[in-house]
Amino acid sequence: MNDSELEKKLKAVRGPALTADYQEAFTRRVLSNLRSAPPTAMPLRCSRRPRLAWGIAFAAGVLLACVAGHWHLRKAADPDVLADAKLIQETLAMFPHRVRAIVRDERGIELVLSDGEDVPASPPIYVRICDGEKCASVVTFSGQEIQIAGRELTVLAEAGGGIILEGNQLAWSSSGGGASNRGLKIQAKLVETTLRPTL
Amino acid sequence: MVDTDEDIAWVEQSREGDHVAFEALIRKHQQMVHALTFRMTGSLADCQDLAQETFVRAYRQLDAYQGTAKFSSWLYRIAVNSCLDWRRQEQRRQRLHQDWGESLDSLITDTDGVREGEEGSREVQAALLKLPAKQRAAIVLTVYGGQNHAEAAKSLGCSETTVSWRIFSARRKLKKLLNQKEGRYE
C-alpha cells in the first residue's frame, strides 16, 4: 500500500451520522449544561479547572518553600531563581509531564499545571522579558501558550536550539531578535537539564 | 467547512453571554466535532460525551480565542485535547480495550440517534484505534482536520518535528495493519 492509497482509505472513513432529532437534543443538552453553570470570562491564565486550584496552591507552596530554602543557602545567587536548572529539575520531577509553565513576575512565582500528564517531554525553555525595570520570567516547553509580561505568547523551540516567541503583539527569535518586540528586552534559552526523557 | 464572518460574530455574541449565538455555533460544528471524537475513541457513547465536553470547554474558554486561527481549528484543538484527557482515564481505557478484544460490534450500534458511517470504514477505524493516542490525534488533525504539521503541533502542544515523526510512525503502522487485513504482506 502506498501513501496515496492509505490517504484514500483514511479519507473514506466517515464519522457518525447524526439524526436531526439527535442534533436537536445534543444542542439542548449542551446549552442546558451551560445554563447550569455561569459563563467564565477569566483570562487564559486563570481558566484552569477549579479542582486544580488546590493542586496549584499546594505546588506553589512547595515551590516557594524550595525557593526560600534555596535563597537561604545562596544569598548571592542569580537574582532570577527560574534560571537555576537544578531548581527547575526538582520542580519538574515533582509533577512529571504536568508542568506547563513556571512563571515569575511581580506577583511572585506561579506554577501552571496541566489537568493530566499530557505535557510532551521536551527540553525546558527559559524566557525572560523586561519592560523597562519591570521583568517577568517563565520556564515552559515548546508549543505552550503562556502569559508573561501582560502578553499571550506561544513559545517554540527550533531544531537548532533557537527559541521563537510569537503572539499578537510580539514576534521574536533568539537567532535574529524581534521584528516587533516594541522595545522589550528579551532573553530565551533552553534550560540545561536531563530530567525530562525524550518520547 | 468554511469559516465565515458569522462564526466570528457568533463568538463575539457568545462572549456577551448570548446562548442563541453559541447555539448557532453548536449547530454548525457539531457534526465535525462528533466525527473527530468518534475517530479518536471508536465509541459512539463516548463520542457523544466528548462532543458535549468540547462545546462546554469551548464556551468557557471563549475569551482565549483570539481570532487568529479559524474557529473550527480552535474547536478541533479543544476536542482533541478532550479526547486525550479522556484516554488517560484508566477505567475507560480498560473498558475500551475489553470492548475491542471482544468485538467491533459496538462501533455500529445505534446510540440515541448516532450511527456509525459506512461498513467499509470499520477496518480503517479499527486500525486507527490501534495507534497510540498521540499518533492518532496527529492523524486526525492533519487528515480530517486539514491542519498542516505546524498547526497540529500547536494544537497538540509539541514541536513540529514531533508531529511529523508521529505522523510518519502512524502511517507506517496503519499500512501494516491494513495490509495484514487485506492479506498483503510487505
Side-chain angles (χ1 to χ4, degrees), chain A residues 21-192:
Chain A
D21 284 348
Y22 173 81
Q23 291 190 35
E24 193 59 40
F26 177 80
T27 304
R28 280 201 304 272
R29 202 161 65 235
V30 174
L31 292 174
S32 165
N33 196 321
L34 294 177
R35 287 191 182 104
S36 65
T40 54
M42 292 181 290
L44 189 62
R45 191 172 177 172
C46 304
S47 64
R48 308 293 172 203
R49 290 178 178 177
R51 66 188 168 84
L52 272 183
W54 286 106
I56 291 171
F58 169 76
V62 172
L63 185 64
L64 287 171
C66 290
V67 170
H70 195 80
W71 275 94
H72 183 71
L73 294 172
R74 293 180 56 191
K75 286 180 180 174
D78 186 326
D80 189 350
V81 290
L82 294 195
D84 187 324
K86 185 169 179 291
L87 191 62
I88 297 306
Q89 277 192 334
E90 288 170 355
T91 307
L92 296 179
M94 281 191 284
F95 306 98
H97 299 287
R98 289 198 59 203
V99 178
R100 287 195 179 282
I102 308 168
V103 183
R104 183 190 185 216
D105 55 20
E106 71 275 11
R107 288 174 292 182
I109 293 175
E110 181 187 7
L111 193 56
V112 183
L113 295 179
S114 167
D115 291 355
E117 295 182 359
D118 58 357
V119 179
S122 62
I125 297 169
Y126 169 80
V127 179
R128 182 177 172 86
I129 297 181
C130 291
D131 188 355
E133 293 294 308
K134 201 170 162 185
C135 293
S137 52
V138 62
V139 170
T140 186
F141 303 94
S142 182
Q144 296 296 319
E145 288 182 351
I146 57 166
Q147 278 206 347
I148 180 171
R151 293 162 179 81
E152 284 184 11
L153 299 175
T154 301
V155 180
L156 297 168
E158 293 177 300
I163 309 296
I164 295 172
L165 305 180
E166 62 172 19
N168 269 352
Q169 301 168 335
L170 189 147
W172 181 88
S173 164
S174 58
S175 55
S180 57
N181 61 15
R182 296 175 184 243
L184 300 173
K185 189 178 173 189
I186 301 173
Q187 180 191 354
K189 63 180 181 182
L190 292 175
V191 178
E192 297 292 332

Side-chain angles (χ1 to χ4, degrees), chain B residues 51-120:
Chain B
Q52 178 171 324
E53 187 176 331
T54 297
F55 281 106
V56 170
R57 279 192 185 190
Y59 185 75
R60 291 178 177 156
Q61 296 174 20
L62 274 179
D63 280 349
Y65 175 62
Q66 299 171 342
T68 50
K70 290 192 292 186
F71 179 75
S72 55
S73 298
W74 185 74
L75 201 56
Y76 239 80
R77 178 181 182 167
I78 294 174
V80 163
N81 284 308
S82 296
C83 292
L84 290 175
D85 289 347
W86 164 86
R87 183 194 165 273
R88 291 185 193 97
Q89 296 176 31
E90 190 64 27
Q91 285 182 332
R92 281 184 167 175
R93 187 169 67 213
Q94 285 174 351
R95 192 186 69 201
L96 181 67
H97 285 175
Q98 282 171 358
D99 288 348
W100 276 100
E102 290 161 5
S103 168
L104 291 175
D105 289 346
S106 61
L107 273 175
I108 54 168
T109 304
D110 240 338
T111 308
D112 298 334
V114 181
R115 293 185 299 275
E116 196 244 2
E118 290 178 357
E119 181 95 0

